[in-house]
């Protein structure tokens, strides 16, 4: 059991909060009289923003939100860096959506297993697909999947999920001790988040909602160097100035890069940068706060490397070996690994520059390698899917098949446009989908149900395993109370069993 007896150091006041968090003392789910009902598949930002818009623009539409996890809010909970609490402010809006009597929450309910999209379409006036991108793009190189007890190249998505408490990521082995270096392939904001978390001092993270398990592992970490590698040059990076500036503020972390390359690329692209002022400012920031490799002296270092493409991961077979890198002999530790990179050259103007491989290679020994080259959505049975673009084909949020709109079926978020943009982008995108749905309801293009929703859900047994919004509020209160005892915003529960124990009260 995950009970109060395990919460050492908890004050009496917090114990009372924990006790009441486990009681069924109130109910937020009400029975509202509605003319139409919409199913939203996915309880993340896209789903909640779609629901918020529909609720704001109509008075006769009810919404059921289906989410495979017990907690709602998707990547806002499991994807946003713990030291970015301001990004999570949107959860207050999502909470107001959940408290609306026209809304029902179906947590712990994965659409595509016991309940299919076809089941939902038969019972609801409309179905909105907003389940995001649950996979990541691969490198497709030899050794990527690991060797013996080595996990290979870990997706940054799963590393982020690990330190944010996603239950299915908690058993993932994170090697932070066998070597002092981690390699990250990718030059986006997620890659920078990973680098920052790996190099940040413990006190920087201790007051955040990072999980206790992850914080303990990072406190034991031997990682002193992160190599963040991209296949193109400095003018083609995908991260933002805000993320880079946060890296410059980490105590005792030195930013290292090929300054001569940055300077020469900027000098040869003056006209281009004149029209890209944010990029120009970011390059200035990088040059202001970085040193060349030969001048790197600090214990912790963040190396931003350009013009390198991974070609394979090599593993030690249990013996100490010596490898040559840049003319120097490097000792690969027992049970360690290294990533081999091919050096590239840039070809073409900066806005369309492409990486052209050369015949030169470089090896980077490391404890662990992360790939951060993009997220990818997955198909659901009965739903059109563009396997090349990894999206559901649509026109203004209306799902299309063979060029024709599929009646009553809509899509929002990353599943609609691909895994790009920030939460504000998702909000605007979700609003456009909601507006299309509302217009179709008002015109009579949709709105005829073929079966009873509650009967359908009861027949499928969804009512027996469903987690309601009341249930989630108990988990939420418990986590907040646990965090309060440690001076944190919350202490996340990291297993389904722990959450269900809190919901049932068996943790008392």
């Amino acid at each position: 059991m995950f009970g109060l007896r395990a919460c050492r150091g908890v004050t009496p006041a917090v114990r009372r909060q924990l006790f009441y968090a486990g009681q069924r003392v109130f109910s937020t789910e009400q029975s509202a009289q509605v003319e139409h009902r919409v199913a939203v598949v996915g309880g993340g930002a896209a789903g909640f923003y779609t629901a918020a818009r529909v609720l704001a623009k109509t008075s006769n539409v009810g919404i059921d939100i289906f989410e495979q996890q017990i907690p709602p809010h998707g990547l806002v909970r499991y994807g946003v860096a713990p030291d970015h609490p301001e990004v999570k402010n949107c959860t207050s809006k999502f909470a107001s959506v959940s408290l609306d009597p026209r809304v029902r929450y179906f947590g712990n309910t994965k659409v595509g297993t016991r309940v299919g999209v076809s089941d939902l379409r038969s019972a609801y006036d409309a179905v909105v697909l907003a389940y995001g991108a649950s996979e990541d793009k691969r490198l497709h190189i030899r050794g990527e999947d690991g060797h013996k007890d080595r996990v290979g190249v870990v997706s940054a998505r799963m590393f982020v999920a690990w330190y944010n408490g996603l239950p299915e990521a908690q058993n993932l082995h994170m090697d932070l001790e066998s070597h002092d270096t981690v390699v990250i392939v990718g030059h986006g904001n997620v890659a920078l988040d990973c680098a920052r978390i790996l190099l940040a001092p413990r006190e920087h993270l201790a007051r955040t909602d990072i999980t206790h398990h992850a914080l303990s592992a990072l406190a034991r970490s031997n990682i002193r160097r992160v190599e963040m590698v991209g296949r193109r040059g400095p003018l083609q990076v995908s991260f933002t100035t805000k993320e880079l500036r946060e890296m410059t503020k980490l105590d005792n972390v030195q930013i290292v890069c090929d300054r001569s390359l940055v300077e020469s690329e900027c000098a040869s692209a003056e006209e281009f940068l004149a029209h890209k002022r944010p990029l120009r400012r970011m390059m200035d920031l990088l040059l202001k706060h970085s040193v060349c490799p030969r001048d790197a002296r600090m214990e912790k270092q963040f190396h931003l490397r350009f013009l390198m493409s991974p070609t394979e991961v090599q593993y030690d077979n249990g013996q100490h070996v010596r490898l040559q890198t840049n003319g120097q002999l490097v000792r690969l530790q027992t049970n360690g690994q290294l990533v081999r990179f091919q050096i590239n050259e840039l070809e073409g103007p900066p806005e369309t520059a492409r990486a052209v491989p050369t015949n030169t290679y470089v090896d980077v020994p490391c404890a662990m390698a992360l790939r951060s080259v993009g997220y990818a959505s997955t198909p659901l049975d009965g739903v059109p899917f563009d396997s090349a673009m990894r999206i559901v084909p649509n026109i203004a949020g209306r799902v299309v098949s063979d060029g024709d709109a599929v009646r009553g079926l809509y899509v929002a978020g990353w599943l609609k446009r691909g895994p790009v943009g920030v939460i504000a982008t998702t909000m605007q995108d979700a609003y456009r989908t909601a507006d299309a749905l509302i217009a179709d309801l008002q015109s009579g293009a949709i709105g005829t149900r073929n079966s009873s929703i509650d009967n359908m859900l009861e027949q499928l047994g969804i009512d027996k395993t469903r987690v309601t919004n009341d249930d989630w509020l108990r988990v939420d209160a418990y986590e907040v109370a646990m965090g309060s005892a440690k001076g944190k915003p919350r202490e996340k529960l990291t297993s389904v069993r722990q959450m269900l124990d809190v919901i049932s009260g068996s943790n008392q």
Side-chain angles (χ1 to χ4, degrees), residues 239-293:
F239 56 77
T240 60
T241 302
K242 176 181 179 295
E243 296 287 338
L244 179 61
R245 184 175 289 112
E246 289 188 5
M247 186 63 75
T248 70
K249 295 179 179 179
L250 284 185
D251 292 337
N252 302 316
V253 175
Q254 198 163 35
I255 299 176
V256 184
C257 71
D258 185 344
R259 290 173 55 86
S260 62
L261 174 65
V262 177
E263 290 169 348
S264 64
E265 287 293 298
C266 290
S268 63
E270 284 293 345
E271 184 177 351
F272 170 73
L273 290 173
H275 302 285
K276 299 284 185 180
R277 296 182 67 182
L279 180 59
R280 171 81 262 185
R281 288 194 294 269
M282 185 163 66
M283 292 300 103
D284 291 341
L285 181 70
L286 177 59
L287 289 171
K288 178 180 179 181
H289 291 279
S290 64
V291 299
C292 292

Side-chain angles (χ1 to χ4, degrees), residues 123-274:
Y124 288 84
D125 297 296
V127 175
V128 180
L129 304 171
Y131 58 84
S134 59
E135 292 186 354
D136 60 286
K137 295 178 181 177
R138 295 174 55 81
L139 301 177
H140 300 292
I141 61 174
R142 186 169 62 180
E144 183 174 8
D145 293 327
H147 175 74
K148 294 184 178 179
D149 61 337
R150 307 295 299 186
V151 296
V153 182
V154 178
S155 78
R157 175 182 62 85
M158 288 303 288
F159 180 66
V160 171
W162 170 75
Y163 63 65
N164 275 326
L166 183 69
E168 51 261 45
Q170 296 313 295
N171 292 328
L172 193 62
H173 173 62
M174 296 296 174
D175 182 2
L176 304 176
E177 300 182 35
S178 72
H179 200 281
D180 66 356
T181 300
V182 166
V183 169
I184 304 176
V185 180
H187 272 174
N189 280 341
V190 174
L192 260 182
D193 279 346
C194 293
R196 190 178 66 257
I197 295 300
L198 285 165
L199 294 173
R202 187 182 186 279
E203 56 270 19
H204 176 84
L205 300 172
R207 299 286 180 181
T208 73
D209 66 357
I210 192 171
T211 66
H212 172 74
H213 171 68
L215 186 62
S216 298
L218 289 166
R220 298 190 304 269
S221 170
N222 290 326
I223 303 304
R224 298 295 179 267
R225 176 177 175 135
V226 172
E227 303 253 0
M228 194 168 117
V229 185
R231 62 187 174 87
R232 296 196 292 171
L235 301 186
Q236 290 79 41
V237 297
S238 298
F239 56 77
T240 60
T241 302
K242 176 181 179 295
E243 296 287 338
L244 179 61
R245 184 175 289 112
E246 289 188 5
M247 186 63 75
T248 70
K249 295 179 179 179
L250 284 185
D251 292 337
N252 302 316
V253 175
Q254 198 163 35
I255 299 176
V256 184
C257 71
D258 185 344
R259 290 173 55 86
S260 62
L261 174 65
V262 177
E263 290 169 348
S264 64
E265 287 293 298
C266 290
S268 63
E270 284 293 345
E271 184 177 351
F272 170 73
L273 290 173

